Amino acid sequence: MGVIAVTGATGQVGRRVAERLAGTRDDAQPVVQRLLVRDPKAMASAAGREVVGVQGYADTEGMRAALEGADDLFLVSGRESADRVAEHRAAIDAAVAAGVRRVVYLSFLGAAPDATFTFARDHWATEQHLAASGLRWTALRDSLYHAAWPAFVGDDLTIRGPAGDGRVASVGHGDVSDVVVGVLLAGDAYDGQVLDVTGPTALTVAEVADTVGRVTGRPVRYAPESLDEAYASRAGYGAPDWEVTGWVTSYAAIAAGELDVVSDTVERVMGRPPQDLETWLRAHPETWRHLVRR
Ligand SMILES: NC(=O)c1ccc[n+]([C@@H]2O[C@H](COP(=O)([O-])OP(=O)(O)OC[C@H]3O[C@@H](n4cnc5c(N)ncnc54)[C@H](OP(=O)(O)O)[C@@H]3O)[C@@H](O)[C@H]2O)c1
């Protein structure tokens, strides 16, 4: 096992990946990590791991220097931006220039050039660049995070969006991170593969609202919107058009059935089932405590 570079270690997935890799005990092949972060001061603890500051994915030269000597790279998709595909391409180019051998990329379910969810088109373009890079690669297409649901509940305890009666099998950050680590440590077992990473059950948004309500003890409900209503209800947030379109189309992709996928990836890679939404919510009250106070 050589040096594994991990991006996004100040975030939800990257932090867990780094912690789990650090907890991996294999004296014959110790895991050596290098964490590439934009703000090293934001790292709570990185004992025994090298932390390298980088400006961001768009800084190809800085990324190349930071990746010098690394064998594997876990590349977290960056924060949504108008230039995200260019940023991801630059990071992949930096990996090639630095001599990295393999990239494991965190993509999104249903990535396709014509995906209803516009941000999923970014992921498809990134996957294409990776596949053409000459590097060994694996793309992990995660579903919506369980953590997103309590955050989507409005002040009136309502989840509003144009999701119709479509279904989605959201997944916990922990399960996604476990799969990332499992793939990183599995040698070439998942090379050239695109793996969907989902929870165990596909729920409608009405069922999600019921679940959040049951766990929080609050009357959470789902109010379906038309596309026009969805754009109108988000117009006052002051966000750029590309971002509002991403928010609205994430629900529209559910309505279109594009996120109605239940995969066996967690089971296959980790040998155990993924956590369902209710179990996950009960284990993470910090994600919904704000709803109880409302
Ligand atoms: N499946 C879903 O439901 C869902 C929902 C939202 C987003 N996502 C995608 O999944 C990714 C990982 O999820 P998460 O929950 O771990 O996100 P998160 O907690 O926001 O963490 C994102 C991490 O990526 C880093 N980062 C973002 N843009 C970067 C850039 N351009 N260059 C270098 N580093 C960058 C951040 O660094 P800083 O701390 O410096 O910002 C942070 O460490 C997100 O970044 C986003 O692309 C998925």
Side-chain angles (χ1 to χ4, degrees):
M1 193 97 241
V3 175
I4 300 179
V6 174
T7 64
T10 51
Q12 294 294 326
V13 172
R15 175 172 59 79
R16 288 175 170 84
V17 167
E19 284 168 359
R20 283 156 167 73
L21 282 173
T24 303
R25 288 272 168 270
D26 183 343
D27 293 339
Q29 294 185 311
V31 173
V32 180
Q33 285 189 70
R34 185 181 301 163
L35 310 182
L36 272 54
V37 294
R38 292 195 283 198
D39 180 7
K41 288 192 299 300
M43 290 298 303
S45 156
R49 292 165 283 174
E50 188 185 356
V51 177
V52 180
V54 293
Q55 283 178 32
Y57 296 154
D59 173 22
T60 305
E61 180 45 34
M63 287 288 292
R64 187 204 60 73
L67 288 168
E68 206 61 57
D71 299 280
D72 300 279
L73 167 65
F74 170 53
L75 183 64
V76 169
S77 52
R79 184 145 306 143
E80 292 77 10
S81 78
D83 301 323
R84 185 158 70 151
V85 176
E87 292 174 19
H88 288 167
R89 285 186 182 136
I92 292 165
D93 292 347
V96 172
V100 168
R101 291 180 310 178
R102 173 177 63 151
V103 172
V104 175
Y105 171 63
L106 189 65
S107 183
F108 191 80
L109 195 63
D114 56 354
T116 299
F117 179 35
T118 50
F119 295 159
R121 301 176 191 175
D122 295 354
H123 291 291
W124 180 82
T126 303
E127 288 180 5
Q128 293 295 301
H129 195 71
L130 192 50
S133 67
L135 296 168
R136 292 167 44 215
W137 60 273
T138 304
L140 299 176
R141 292 181 175 177
D142 65 12
S143 184
L144 204 65
Y145 297 132
H146 288 326
W149 294 118
F152 286 171
V153 177
D155 287 341
D156 55 358
L157 295 176
T158 302
I159 302 176
R160 284 197 168 71
D165 295 325
R167 292 177 179 275
V168 56
S170 58
V171 65
H173 277 106
D175 284 328
V176 172
S177 307
D178 279 351
V179 168
V180 170
V181 172
V183 167
L184 282 169
L185 298 182
D188 59 4
Y190 299 102
D191 276 13
Q193 294 189 30
V194 175
L195 303 176
D196 294 339
V197 186
T198 77
T201 319
L203 301 176
T204 64
V205 179
E207 290 169 339
V208 166
D210 283 350
T211 306
V212 179
R214 200 160 48 245
V215 172
T216 59
R218 303 287 281 147
V220 177
R221 67 185 192 101
Y222 166 52
E225 294 178 310
S226 69
L227 279 177
D228 286 348
E229 286 168 344
Y231 280 107
S233 66
R234 289 155 178 80
Y237 293 165
D241 286 351
W242 63 263
E243 192 163 27
V244 175
T245 301
W247 294 339
V248 171
T249 58
S250 64
Y251 286 97
I254 296 173
E258 293 173 23
L259 302 189
D260 189 355
V261 176
V262 174
S263 78
D264 66 352
T265 299
V266 175
E267 186 94 51
R268 206 145 51 92
V269 176
M270 300 309 301
R272 57 155 182 85
Q275 259 186 333
D276 62 54
L277 177 61
E278 182 157 349
T279 309
W280 189 92
L281 287 171
R282 291 195 189 283
H284 293 88
E286 72 281 3
T287 63
W288 48 261
R289 219 170 259 133
H290 63 287
L291 299 177
V292 178
R293 284 196 214 103
R294 225 169 250 169

